[in-house]
Amino acid sequence: MAPNSRRKKPYKKPNNISMPSPSFTRFSRKKVSVFVSLVMFFGVIFLLGISSNIFSGVAHVPKLYSIQVINEFPHDPSAFTQGLLYAGNGTLYESTGLKGKVNLLILIVALHTGKVEEVEALQKMDDSYFGEGLTMFEKRLFQVTWLTKTGFIYDTDDLSKIGKFTHGMDDGWGLATNGKVLFGSDGTSALYQLDPKTLKVIGKQIVRYNGHEVHYLNELEFVNDEIWANVWQTDCIARISLKDGSVLGWILLPNLREGLIAAGHNGIDVLNGIAWDDNDNRLFVTGKLWPKLYEIKLHPITKHFDTGVIEQLCIPRRS
């Protein structure tokens, strides 16, 4: 053997190191397998989220509705409709307002003739007030006025004024009720809840659709646990969730206004006025200075729809 050569000693396992048991090895492999599965699952979710954002311009909108006209009724073409309410027995309460003209606070309208019934009194509004949204709670009519925080209460038996109140909304545009609280709008994206006893604001939600605030909420109606709202300057009605203020769907009604203009009614103003017949599940709509009031039925639109088009149609930009 050469002087500098050394014989390699055999490897000897240290006494303080133990090899893992077969059961421990199987457990470790299971942990790794579960971890990999979780990573893959959340990775797929993440990628789907990115894809939905990329392709959000073209999305399926299951709660988008067209309308079918069931009946047409005459409507006073001089009525600048601000609030509409079905009172049963073929009658409607309607609040109107228009600067520079005599403002009729409440109209009781015979549905099939569209005329104010002669047996009912009309309340004339003081020149300092402009009639707006209207609703009925416990046989009393509540109505708000534009550019003020003032509202009035009327007895439904004879339309006599029995109260005046101040609310906490920024303005008075729309009113509705579910029989428990009053809901109000002020022309912004806010949907208010008011205590019907004190008329003070007890809740507020911001109405949003596809990440955008929906401004210019106008006339309101409570329909099947939702608030339905006209959006000023549009031909759209928003169906709003009471849980979080999100828009659950849109009702598209451009054919009504376009049909009136085509028939020569060029002096009409915007769509405004929603009335719901809870007993017979009938929906009525009209507009400011419209000569007709319509009973309509909704039909879901199931085709793919560009959400940008819906935003353009139903969410006006703030001036």
Side-chain angles (χ1 to χ4, degrees), residues 116-275:
V116 178
E117 294 187 355
E118 296 178 1
V119 297
E120 301 291 350
L122 296 177
Q123 286 283 351
K124 290 186 178 181
M125 180 173 288
D126 186 281
D127 290 340
S128 60
Y129 294 109
F130 183 102
E132 282 283 353
L134 178 76
T135 194
M136 183 189 297
F137 181 84
E138 294 183 351
K139 296 184 178 181
R140 295 180 297 168
L141 292 169
F142 292 78
Q143 199 237 12
V144 289
T145 57
W146 187 48
L147 297 181
T148 76
K149 295 187 177 183
T150 301
F152 298 97
I153 306 172
Y154 295 86
D155 190 324
T156 55
D157 290 334
D158 58 7
L159 292 184
S160 60
K161 186 185 296 184
I162 59 175
K164 182 178 179 180
F165 62 90
T166 301
H167 57 78
M169 300 186 294
D170 289 342
D171 198 354
W173 281 44
L175 277 183
T177 184
N178 61 355
K180 299 176 182 178
V181 300
L182 303 186
F183 300 95
S185 65
D186 60 4
T188 67
S189 59
L191 179 65
Y192 295 86
Q193 294 185 21
L194 292 83
D195 186 316
K197 303 299 183 183
T198 65
L199 282 306
K200 302 300 181 184
V201 174
I202 57 175
K204 177 181 175 182
Q205 292 175 325
I206 300 301
V207 176
R208 291 184 172 87
Y209 172 74
N210 199 30
H212 300 281
E213 290 188 25
V214 182
H215 296 280
Y216 300 120
L217 299 177
N218 203 352
E219 219 268 307
L220 305 177
E221 183 63 285
F222 179 79
V223 182
N224 295 333
D225 295 323
E226 300 173 3
I227 287 292
W228 291 15
N230 286 119
V231 180
W232 184 52
Q233 296 181 327
T234 78
D235 295 311
C236 303
I237 293 175
R239 298 179 57 168
I240 302 170
S241 168
L242 294 180
K243 294 180 180 179
D244 57 10
S246 61
V247 174
L248 301 172
W250 294 101
I251 305 169
L252 307 180
L253 307 95
N255 53 317
L256 297 183
R257 182 179 53 80
E258 292 169 0
L260 288 174
I261 293 174
H265 301 288
N266 297 315
I268 63 172
D269 206 285
V270 297
L271 173 78
N272 201 48
I274 311 168

Side-chain angles (χ1 to χ4, degrees), residues 91-94 106-110 115-117 120-122 159:
T91 62
L92 293 164
Y93 287 95
E94 183 174 4
I106 305 293
L107 301 174
I108 298 183
V109 182
K115 295 181 179 179
V116 178
E117 294 187 355
E120 301 291 350
L122 296 177
L159 292 184

